[in-house]
Amino acid sequence: MGHHPPEIPIQVDDETGVWSTDGLPMLYVPRHFFINNHAAVEDAIGADQYADLLYKAGYKSAYFWCEEEGKTHGISGAEVYDHYMKRLSQRGWGQFFIEHLDVSQGTARVRLENSAFVYYYGKVNRKVDYMFTGWFAGAMDQVTESVGFPFKTHAVQLQSGSEEGCDFGLFEVKPIG
């Protein structure tokens, strides 16, 4: 297996030590640290309740990220969604592939391979990648709004690489209603 350096630009503020990429503050933490915290919250409140909380927080965060990255790079529409999937992949969450994207209809289908969550949980016959679901809807809503198609969308996870017979995760975004 080969290796390469990170593909994202990282700057470290000399005075504060804050890491940033494209002007947005970032945290760099070991995957086991993040996933152990994730699993502890899931154990404490249950996967369904945690998924609801993460959907709302993830939606808001993805919307903000796409808005800021669009400004930073002078891009909008499908370019922002593509850029978002690229950056998620570059930051180690897994590898995200857009199988379908229609900004004018507010629809997308995203395949996830090598999910950090599937590496942790393994084959447990349930969807473990639910943290990402709100991200896809938040990104879509920002993208559609930026180009004059102000949809409100909802995302669902159709399958997870942690389920028997599934080798990858699959998410779908559609307009609400």
Side-chain angles (χ1 to χ4, degrees):
M1 174 165 49
H3 295 88
H4 64 276
E7 297 172 354
I8 57 172
I10 300 170
Q11 296 82 37
V12 182
D13 185 283
D14 290 334
E15 289 183 32
T16 64
V18 172
W19 288 40
S20 64
T21 295
D22 297 332
L24 290 174
M26 306 292 282
L27 299 174
Y28 181 62
V29 299
R31 182 170 67 186
H32 72 271
F33 171 83
F34 182 87
I35 303 244
N36 285 337
N37 281 276
H38 174 88
V41 174
E42 185 180 81
D43 287 346
I45 67 173
D48 291 340
Q49 185 175 354
Y50 193 35
D52 288 341
L53 293 171
L54 288 175
Y55 188 97
K56 294 169 190 160
Y59 176 99
K60 181 179 178 179
S61 297
Y63 189 101
F64 175 79
W65 189 94
C66 289
E67 189 170 52
E68 294 300 308
E69 286 291 290
K71 290 179 208 172
T72 297
H73 297 287
I75 57 177
S76 64
E79 281 184 285
V80 173
Y81 211 84
D82 288 337
H83 180 63
Y84 189 48
M85 294 305 124
K86 178 181 174 183
R87 283 293 198 247
L88 291 177
S89 298
Q90 291 171 329
R91 292 194 329 242
W93 292 106
Q95 294 169 311
F96 296 83
F97 301 95
I98 298 172
E99 292 190 341
H100 165 79
L101 177 61
D102 186 338
V103 173
S104 68
Q105 297 297 309
T107 60
R109 183 178 285 247
V110 177
R111 185 177 76 248
L112 170 59
E113 297 179 9
N114 301 305
S115 164
F117 293 101
V118 173
Y119 280 136
Y120 174 83
Y121 286 101
K123 291 287 185 186
V124 291
N125 283 324
R126 67 181 180 94
K127 294 170 182 64
V128 298
D129 312 296
Y130 53 83
M131 173 177 259
F132 305 126
T133 311
W135 299 8
F136 301 134
M140 179 62 75
D141 286 3
Q142 192 287 320
V143 164
T144 58
E145 184 176 302
S146 76
V147 294
F149 300 108
F151 290 105
K152 289 296 180 199
T153 63
H154 184 74
V156 295
Q157 184 173 14
L158 302 175
Q159 69 181 49
S160 173
S162 62
E163 296 175 298
E164 291 298 328
C166 298
D167 294 328
F168 54 87
L170 195 59
F171 300 82
E172 189 171 67
V173 182
K174 291 182 179 179
I176 295 172

